[in-house]
C-alpha cells in the first residue's frame, strides 16, 4: 500500500457513502496513512488521540478493559469501516483499544485537517458529518441488539422464560 490515501477506497467506506469521486479525492488529500503489522496497536483506551480512522485493508480488533483488568474483544472491524467517531466529534479520550489482526492499512483524519475541509468544502463536510451520524447510530443499534440477546440468554438460563 502507498503512503497516500486511495480516494477509491475512501469512496467505498462507510464514512463516504454519499460523496462524489472528486470529493473523495479532496478528502484523500487530507488523510494520513498508517501501516500496521499483525498485533500492532493503532490506539489505546484512554488515549487523547482524536483522529478518525477508516480501515482501508485488513482487520482491527476493538477491545476494552473490564474492572478486573481483563481485555475483552468487542468487535472486529473489516475494510471500509470507521472507528473513533465519538473521540473525533467530542474530542474526548478513547473508550476502546484498536489492534491490527494481521497486516492492516488505516487512513486517519485529524480534527484540524477536517476543519480545513469545513472551511474550503462545506458541502463535503456536511456529507461526512451525516455519515458520522449514520455510523454512530448503526453502532448503537448493534450494541442494543447484542445487549438484548445477552439479556435473553441470561433470563433463559436462569429460568425466567
Amino acid at each position: 500500500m502507498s503512503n497516500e490515501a486511495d480516494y477509491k477506497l475512501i469512496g467505498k467506506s462507510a464514512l463516504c457513502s454519499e460523496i462524489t469521486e472528486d470529493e473523495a479525492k479532496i478528502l484523500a488529500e487530507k488523510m494520513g496513512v498508517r501501516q500496521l503489522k499483525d498485533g500492532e496497536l493503532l490506539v489505546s483506551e484512554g488515549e487523547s488521540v482524536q483522529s478518525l480512522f477508516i480501515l482501508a485493508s485488513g482487520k482491527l480488533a476493538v477491545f476494552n478493559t473490564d474492572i478486573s483488568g481483563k481485555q475483552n474483544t468487542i468487535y472486529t472491524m473489516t475494510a471500509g469501516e470507521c472507528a473513533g467517531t465519538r473521540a473525533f466529534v467530542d474530542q474526548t479520550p478513547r473508550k476502546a483499544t484498536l489492534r491490527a489482526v494481521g497486516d492492516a492499512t488505516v487512513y486517519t483524519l485529524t480534527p484540524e485537517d477536517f476543519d480545513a475541509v469545513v472551511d474550503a468544502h462545506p458541502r463535503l463536510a456536511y456529507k461526512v458529518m451525516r455519515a458520522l451520524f449514520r455510523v454512530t447510530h448503526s453502532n448503537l443499534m448493534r450494541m442494543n441488539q447484542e445487549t438484548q440477546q445477552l439479556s435473553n440468554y441470561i433470563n433463559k438460563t436462569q429460568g425466567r422464560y
Side-chain angles (χ1 to χ4, degrees), residues 12-15 53-56 60 75-83 135 139 142:
K12 293 178 183 177
S13 73
L15 183 67
F53 303 116
I54 296 176
L55 182 57
L60 290 174
Y75 184 72
T76 301
M77 293 176 56
T78 58
E81 292 188 288
C82 302
V135 167
N139 289 342
R142 179 180 47 80

Side-chain angles (χ1 to χ4, degrees), residues 54-136:
I54 296 176
L55 182 57
S57 67
K59 294 181 180 179
L60 290 174
V62 180
F63 56 94
N64 65 5
T65 306
D66 66 19
I67 298 170
S68 69
K70 180 182 174 192
Q71 293 183 336
N72 300 300
T73 300
I74 301 167
Y75 184 72
T76 301
M77 293 176 56
T78 58
E81 292 188 288
C82 302
T85 56
R86 189 199 47 76
F88 182 74
V89 173
D90 291 345
Q91 308 266 309
T92 55
R94 296 290 169 164
K95 296 290 185 190
T97 297
L98 302 175
R99 180 187 306 274
V101 178
D103 292 346
T105 301
V106 179
Y107 296 159
T108 63
L109 181 64
T110 66
E112 296 79 19
D113 285 332
F114 187 66
D115 285 346
V117 173
V118 170
D119 292 341
H121 307 279
R123 185 73 182 156
L124 170 57
Y126 171 73
K127 290 178 182 180
V128 170
M129 292 305 293
R130 282 173 42 113
L132 285 173
F133 177 81
R134 281 193 303 274
V135 167
T136 302

Side-chain angles (χ1 to χ4, degrees), residues 32-44:
V33 178
R34 289 272 315 267
Q35 305 287 348
L36 302 172
K37 298 291 182 193
D38 184 31
E40 187 176 347
L41 285 177
L42 175 62
V43 67
S44 294

